[in-house]
Amino acid sequence: MNLSLRSVAVTCTVGALGAALTACGGPASPAAARRGHHAPTTATALASSGATASRPPTLAPGPAGLTPVFKNGPRTRAKTVALTFDADMTADEGARAAAGEHFDNPRLIATLRKFKVPATVFMTGRWADEYPREAKDIGQDPLFEIANHSYSHYAFTSDCYGLPTVPEDRMRADVERAYDAFRKAGVRNAMPYFRFPGGCYDQRSLRALSAAGVTAVQWDVVSGDAFATDADAVAQQVLEGVRSGSVVVMHCTRSAAPTTERALRTVVPELRHRGFRFVKVSQLIGAADARH
């Protein structure tokens, strides 16, 4: 997946993250984040999925009630970092999967388990439909958490690296359809976090998702693994970018990111050598909440 981002003046600041990517994120306003904030839609979805009464941490809504945006955790001496993996599959790619293209990456998941690295997987509903057993397996493993990457992997803005576009009046439904796909696959604890396909968003899309009760999760470190062929270059880019509280965006799709698993074999030991501790996105959001 090519990653891009729309800047939204009221919710984030913009900085270069590489030749083809601009980053935007962080808490959408100085308003304190607070644990357990959910709009009814998300609360209902989590309850029906079998989640416990203890709700994951989320950010408070941004200005004018816009969906809040999280970019990274606190820059403290704790030296925590969250590795996130996008499980991409666009709604119209079924024929490619039927022809043998692999949008999953079991070896990458196995490597994370081998190294005991907690991670957050941003999964599309279409991916869960294609690989329900793998979705359930990841969702049942306490090492991981599954978050929402839309159902269709269509863009939520126009001109987002050529992706088809979700109409504004269907944006919330697309997100909710992904949660439905997770439940159908047996995922009972999907998180109230959403990553925009391509990283593209604007005020219109933030407004459209405000009733969904999700926190939009971006990143501050781009791995560059999408369509990369050099695992060492991917590892170097991650290692050069990580700071305490970083959110790293990577992929767990074999066809679109074939070098990611090899890069992890360098990234994980080196970051641990530097004193970093791997955490899930929910832990970073919870840490931001605690600081406020």
Side-chain angles (χ1 to χ4, degrees), residues 44-259:
T44 301
L46 289 172
S48 64
S49 70
T52 66
S54 178
R55 301 300 183 193
T58 57
L59 297 185
L66 297 180
T67 298
V69 181
F70 180 78
K71 175 184 175 183
N72 59 267
R75 304 297 193 187
T76 67
R77 294 181 180 178
K79 299 186 77 171
T80 54
V81 57
L83 298 184
T84 70
F85 298 87
D86 291 357
D88 296 342
M89 188 171 179
T90 303
D92 57 4
E93 290 179 333
R96 289 165 55 182
E101 184 171 347
H102 294 284
F103 295 90
D104 63 340
N105 196 336
R107 188 172 182 179
L108 184 148
I109 298 299
T111 296
L112 290 171
R113 286 171 168 155
K114 176 181 177 181
F115 284 108
K116 296 180 171 59
V117 177
T120 303
V121 178
F122 285 88
M123 187 179 293
T124 66
R126 182 64 186 86
W127 195 98
D129 283 346
E130 188 70 28
Y131 305 105
R133 282 194 237 176
E134 291 180 53
K136 182 178 181 180
D137 180 59
I138 295 169
Q140 289 182 335
D141 191 332
L143 196 62
F144 307 124
E145 60 187 13
I146 290 179
N148 196 312
H149 196 32
S150 80
Y151 178 83
S152 62
H153 201 259
Y154 288 179
F156 282 58
T157 66
S158 60
D159 191 26
C160 182
Y161 284 94
L163 288 173
T165 304
V166 179
E168 183 176 355
D169 62 356
R170 296 296 303 165
M171 290 179 179
R172 177 180 167 188
D174 190 81
V175 173
E176 292 174 345
R177 186 181 178 189
Y179 282 121
D180 288 341
F182 301 157
R183 287 191 291 272
K184 182 180 177 182
V187 176
R188 303 302 178 193
N189 59 345
M191 305 299 282
Y193 308 141
F194 176 70
R195 174 165 285 164
F196 286 97
C200 305
Y201 69 90
D202 55 18
Q203 289 191 54
R204 183 178 62 101
S205 54
L206 292 176
R207 187 177 300 110
L209 296 187
S210 61
V214 295
T215 292
V217 176
Q218 296 292 105
W219 54 81
D220 66 319
V221 178
V222 178
S223 67
D225 67 339
F227 307 107
T229 57
D230 186 340
D232 291 338
V234 172
Q236 181 178 357
Q237 187 157 318
V238 173
L239 294 172
E240 289 178 351
V242 165
R243 300 166 57 194
S244 183
S246 281
V247 176
V248 182
V249 59
M250 307 182 85
H251 296 78
C252 52
T253 47
R254 273 182 280 177
S255 61
T259 65

